[in-house]
Amino acid sequence: MAEFLTTADISARLQKMIRESSEYIVLISPYLQLNPRIRELLEQKARTETHIRIIYGKRELQPEEREWIDSVPAIDLCFRQSLHAKCYLNEKEAILTSMNLYEFSEQHNDEMGIVVSSTSRDFERDRDLYRKIYQEAEQIAELSEKIREVPRPERTKGLGGLIRRVAKDALSITDRNAAASGRTYTVEAAARSMRESDDAPEYGASALSVGNQSVSPMQADVQIPTPGVCIRCKEAISADPLLPYCDYHWQIWKRFENDDYPENYCHICGCEWQTSRRKPLCWDCFQNYKDVFNFATRTD
């Protein structure tokens, strides 16, 4: 559930948020004057695949701050003149607060804030609130001037990377077993190994290649209804569980590539449901069309 934060709590929670992030960090603050510990943590994260974005609202950065930012080129930097909000988030939680990323505020001001979780299983309101904060942060970023935009590294995390890792492991296991028993490798055997793997997602998949044959979640004898809807805004689109977003929201999603980010609607029937790119269907549609999500040899 949402937690109340005092001045000291905000600083400590922000450091924890940066330290524990693995996918993205977004820091929104009109004023920038980072304390040495925050700088150190961001420098560490900048050497990983974590995507870091800072949005600020005062053009006149201090020379020391400008010099530091220039020394860490892996950080996205955006400017929004009308910015007054203070918000800090990663893929797991978001802090809304009165405190700027300003060392003076931490040391001399009385500040307050709240933190909400994107992964709370017991509090739907927290997940919904996180989703709204995330979307507003995305909107602010879209409207901001891009001072420096860093290409995001190709990730092995997320759904596509997971499927490829599981496929590679399944292929390796199948090859070893086939060699030991004298049997011939088949795509169906690898697909079965993938479905039975503890690491495989419950449903949702990405097309991939195994050997010289294509493997796809689409079964030849099972059809998905069309059209579907965007799982974020409910706009009518072609039904495709691998791409359950309209063009606009796909581009927004691609900025952070969080396969488990909570969305609003079932991709097939359009009902209100806690979905994600990894799990784009409501429970009823998943039950009705679950065969579509089994891996099988592509026949088209």
Side-chain angles (χ1 to χ4, degrees), residues 7 17 35 120 194 207 234 261 285:
T7 306
M17 173 185 289
N35 70 47
S120 173
M194 292 168 67
K234 206 177 179 179
Y261 178 74
C285 285

Side-chain angles (χ1 to χ4, degrees), residues 200-218:
E202 293 179 27
Y203 70 83
S206 177
L208 63 150
S209 294
V210 179
N212 294 322
Q213 302 192 55
S214 294
V215 178
S216 166
M218 299 297 293

Side-chain angles (χ1 to χ4, degrees), residues 111-129:
E111 309 282 0
M112 291 189 290
I114 62 168
V115 60
V116 296
S117 172
S118 68
T119 59
S120 173
R121 295 183 178 275
D122 299 322
F123 296 93
E124 172 64 26
R125 290 182 180 178
D126 271 24
R127 295 195 299 272
D128 184 59
L129 181 55

Side-chain angles (χ1 to χ4, degrees), residues 54-168:
I54 297 177
I55 305 174
Y56 73 105
K58 298 299 178 184
R59 177 74 71 177
E60 302 82 10
L61 291 179
Q62 294 297 317
E64 182 183 355
E65 215 63 35
R66 170 59 67 181
E67 182 179 347
W68 177 79
I69 289 175
D70 289 343
S71 72
V72 191
I75 295 179
D76 268 4
L77 188 64
C78 303
F79 174 77
R80 177 74 172 161
Q81 187 171 16
S82 60
L83 184 66
H84 193 67
K86 299 92 178 177
C87 176
Y88 316 115
L89 63 155
N90 66 7
E91 68 275 5
K92 296 178 181 178
E93 59 185 23
I95 298 173
L96 284 177
T97 177
S98 61
M99 190 173 80
N100 282 287
L101 279 177
Y102 196 59
E103 198 167 10
F104 182 91
S105 298
E106 297 179 48
Q107 298 174 355
H108 301 282
N109 293 350
D110 294 322
E111 309 282 0
M112 291 189 290
I114 62 168
V115 60
V116 296
S117 172
S118 68
T119 59
S120 173
R121 295 183 178 275
D122 299 322
F123 296 93
E124 172 64 26
R125 290 182 180 178
D126 271 24
R127 295 195 299 272
D128 184 59
L129 181 55
Y130 175 90
R131 178 165 58 243
K132 291 176 180 177
I133 294 169
Y134 175 94
Q135 290 173 344
E136 185 62 24
E138 279 289 284
Q139 180 71 5
I140 291 172
E142 287 292 318
L143 296 173
S144 298
E145 177 187 351
K146 307 299 186 295
I147 304 299
R148 182 172 67 200
E149 192 165 14
V150 179
R152 300 193 63 190
E154 184 159 346
R155 296 179 178 275
T156 58
K157 296 175 181 166
L159 179 62
L162 174 61
I163 296 299
R164 286 168 176 79
R165 291 198 306 276
V166 173
K168 181 178 180 180

